[in-house]
Amino acid sequence: MTYVVTDNCVRCKYTDCVEVCPVDCFYEGENFLVIHPDECIDCGVCEPECPAEAIKPDTEPGLDKWLQINSEFAQIWPNITIKKDPMDGAKELDGEAGKYEKYFSPEPGKGD
Ligand code: SF4
Ligand code: SF4
């Protein structure tokens, strides 16, 4: 089991999530964050810290796509452990449907 980051994280970067992870297993894309499934210890601490409710346990049904995305990009993107400013428009886009299809970038973020 692992926790995964899902659609509503696209163009967010509130990054409340990264500060609480005891094993620093968040990785940063240009406009999305992922959790490394092999490093996550399933503690669940990050889930309630995400204001966008984008973090889910992969035991919930229908999350195979997100597990694959988290797994793929956690191997490519840089590690992020420190909170940074949210992206422009993060609040306005919160809850919009289909953000991944519309806005997702596979490019890496800056990390820390
Ligand atoms: S707080 Fe939630 S939506 Fe925002 S960057 Fe972290 S995981 Fe993504
Ligand atoms: S569940 Fe725990 S270990 Fe996994 S990403 Fe969240 S805070 Fe980190």
Side-chain angles (χ1 to χ4, degrees):
M1 182 198 160
T2 180
Y3 280 72
V4 293
V5 184
T6 64
D7 197 71
N8 204 29
C9 180
V10 175
R11 291 180 66 177
C12 166
K13 295 219 182 154
Y14 289 141
T15 55
D16 300 72
C17 50
V18 305
E19 292 233 298
V20 299
C21 179
V23 293
D24 295 339
C25 65
F26 280 86
Y27 293 81
E28 185 187 14
E30 187 176 26
N31 65 11
F32 191 66
L33 262 55
V34 292
I35 291 169
H36 197 310
D38 297 337
E39 296 175 0
C40 174
I41 58 170
D42 313 328
C43 70
V45 171
C46 59
E47 184 183 14
E49 295 298 323
C50 172
E53 298 184 4
I55 300 175
K56 314 274 186 199
D58 77 338
T59 46
E60 285 190 14
L63 294 180
D64 289 355
K65 165 186 167 180
W66 297 107
L67 179 57
Q68 190 181 339
I69 290 165
N70 279 248
S71 181
E72 176 181 347
F73 289 98
Q75 297 175 51
I76 302 170
W77 289 347
N79 192 228
I80 176 169
T81 63
I82 299 169
K83 186 173 167 62
K84 58 173 64 176
D85 291 337
M87 297 189 76
D88 288 344
K91 194 174 174 191
E92 291 74 16
L93 289 171
D94 184 11
E96 184 174 314
K99 288 164 79 176
Y100 178 79
E101 280 73 21
K102 285 186 261 189
Y103 310 122
F104 175 80
S105 166
E107 297 302 316
K110 293 194 171 70
D112 53 44

